Amino acid sequence: MITETNFVETLKHAKDVGQHIRFVEAAARQERVDALMAIVSRLERLRARASARRPSDKGLQSNYGSMIEKIIEALSLLGGIDCAAAALDLVSTPERARAQRLTASRIVAARSPKIIDELLQTRPDVESRALLLHEAVMRGKLRFGSSAGSVVAYALAQARHPLGALPPTRLDIEAEVAPPRFEFGVTSYFSSRGSSRGQINPKHLPQPPARSVTASKVVDAARAEAMRAAMSLWAEAGAFRFETGVFRVPDLRASALLSALPQLGLACVKPGDIIHGRAPVGPAEVFGELFSAACNGGAHLSGWYAAYGRLRSWQSVAGLLGLPADTPIEALEREAAQRTWAIFDADGDWFRGAAHQVGLACFDPDNDELAVLAAMDID
């Protein structure tokens, strides 16, 4: 039988850690925070000692580290506010930024607005409050009638925190977002789209050839980088491709947007490719595509989660619109409503084998400008 007293010693020799994980789950549900924190402290000491004595032996270090992560997961998803606060304490260091984002996402997904509100008021570090606030905004979990969210948002703006540019309420364009769901031992993601070819409906049919269009490409490296912001972590894992382009297309009709794509010299959509797409689509659907890519990541789940996923999505929107990165979010939303948007993929080589993909086009009829963003990630 696994107990707090023999947990660490038995873990050293365990071939199956199932009993240890069940102990961790039960302890978190019973809110035995002190016991779990004591175990983490001992595991961290042992991991450091193993690293110093046998730096080449990664197996034992990994076992200790994996169990620490399992305890953090349990504290973030189970129990009450004390468990949640303890989980944040364990990851609130700059070198653990990704773990902090994941932990905040789990906490907000699993907790009531009342507990989230208390955490917003009591957490000592700015980063935790920023993450909790915007996770709560995107999940609709801010406590009704409380000023905690507005207070934190104001403090973030005053401190020029990266998330300080985001409003403390969810906008209409953000209505179709799908943050990840969590269960202890299981992560359920609303992933970026795979191939749409099996999902064709009357509004998502292969596009007929367009009349000939004349296009000139605009080279803007900074804008291309901004357009890719939502997929910025995809490059860290797996096989991936990006393509961006901005084109001047005189006399392009919005109704011919999709069928004009093969004539632009893009690698992702070539002449002869069958295009699958929908146009026009609303900006909320486009934002949902970007948010899914940013929040959940690509085939290897290399995502920003909801708070920074929201920020990265807006950075991509600004890039597609051709507006400065510091444009107020509400102004970006208004401008997005004036553009014609499309979602697409194609039966060509570029998208073939994609586990997750994004294909977006944004047409500005006032300036005859067409911006295209395509990304794919292979599992």
Side-chain angles (χ1 to χ4, degrees), residues 51-112:
S51 176
R53 288 181 177 177
R54 291 182 292 177
S56 61
D57 184 2
K58 302 298 184 183
L60 195 56
Q61 299 172 45
S62 177
N63 289 344
Y64 293 148
S66 296
M67 189 54 64
I68 291 171
E69 297 306 316
K70 187 57 66 175
I71 291 172
I72 294 171
E73 179 187 354
L75 288 169
S76 65
L77 288 172
L78 307 171
I81 190 170
D82 290 341
C83 287
L88 288 169
D89 288 341
L90 290 171
V91 297
S92 294
T93 58
E95 62 271 16
R96 300 219 64 195
R98 185 185 184 280
Q100 190 176 17
R101 295 194 301 266
L102 171 57
T103 298
S105 191
R106 286 169 168 166
I107 287 170
V108 176
R111 297 310 193 291
S112 67

Side-chain angles (χ1 to χ4, degrees), residues 99-154:
Q100 190 176 17
R101 295 194 301 266
L102 171 57
T103 298
S105 191
R106 286 169 168 166
I107 287 170
V108 176
R111 297 310 193 291
S112 67
K114 181 177 183 296
I115 288 180
I116 296 165
D117 194 70
E118 290 182 45
L119 290 168
L120 286 172
Q121 296 181 59
T122 58
R123 287 303 299 170
D125 63 300
V126 172
E127 188 65 17
S128 288
R129 294 198 303 274
L131 291 168
L132 292 168
L133 170 61
H134 289 290
E135 285 282 346
V137 169
M138 299 309 277
R139 295 176 183 276
K141 284 203 167 186
L142 286 178
R143 190 177 187 184
F144 180 75
S146 172
S147 63
S150 297
V151 169
V152 171
Y154 178 78

Side-chain angles (χ1 to χ4, degrees), residues 125-337:
D125 63 300
V126 172
E127 188 65 17
S128 288
R129 294 198 303 274
L131 291 168
L132 292 168
L133 170 61
H134 289 290
E135 285 282 346
V137 169
M138 299 309 277
R139 295 176 183 276
K141 284 203 167 186
L142 286 178
R143 190 177 187 184
F144 180 75
S146 172
S147 63
S150 297
V151 169
V152 171
Y154 178 78
L156 295 177
Q158 292 298 109
R160 298 187 180 277
H161 187 281
L163 299 181
L166 299 173
T169 55
R170 190 163 63 181
L171 305 178
D172 289 344
I173 195 175
E174 297 172 318
E176 297 192 23
V177 301
R181 297 176 297 181
F182 301 97
E183 181 181 342
F184 182 67
V186 179
T187 303
S188 177
Y189 285 89
F190 290 86
S191 62
S192 308
R193 294 184 309 133
S195 173
S196 60
R197 294 164 201 156
Q199 307 168 17
I200 297 174
N201 59 50
K203 294 185 179 181
H204 196 161
L205 295 171
Q207 300 297 308
R211 65 183 179 88
S212 178
V213 299
T214 302
S216 60
K217 189 170 185 177
V218 180
V219 178
D220 187 337
R223 183 174 177 184
E225 183 177 355
M227 290 164 65
R228 294 194 298 265
M231 283 70 70
S232 58
L233 290 182
W234 287 27
E236 295 185 7
F240 66 95
R241 294 191 190 111
F242 294 126
E243 186 171 26
T244 57
V246 179
F247 305 88
R248 301 291 182 205
V249 191
D251 302 320
L252 176 65
R253 298 192 307 268
S255 60
L257 193 160
L258 284 172
S259 52
L261 293 177
Q263 303 180 57
L264 301 178
L266 293 163
C268 63
V269 182
K270 295 181 178 180
D273 289 351
I274 298 176
I275 304 170
H276 302 275
R278 286 171 288 139
V281 297
E285 189 169 355
V286 171
F287 189 89
E289 293 278 307
L290 291 168
F291 183 82
S292 179
C295 176
N296 302 330
H300 298 270
L301 304 181
S302 49
W304 288 98
Y305 303 103
Y308 278 93
R310 186 187 192 197
L311 175 65
R312 294 289 178 166
S313 300
W314 279 113
Q315 290 170 343
S316 283
V317 170
L320 285 160
L321 295 174
L323 295 177
D326 60 355
T327 303
I329 300 301
E330 292 83 352
L332 293 176
E333 182 183 36
R334 288 193 298 271
E335 185 61 30

Side-chain angles (χ1 to χ4, degrees), residues 1-7 10 19-20 23 26 32:
M1 179 180 177
I2 304 299
T3 66
E4 178 187 351
T5 305
N6 69 14
F7 187 97
T10 55
Q19 291 187 58
H20 293 80
F23 173 89
R32 295 167 57 192

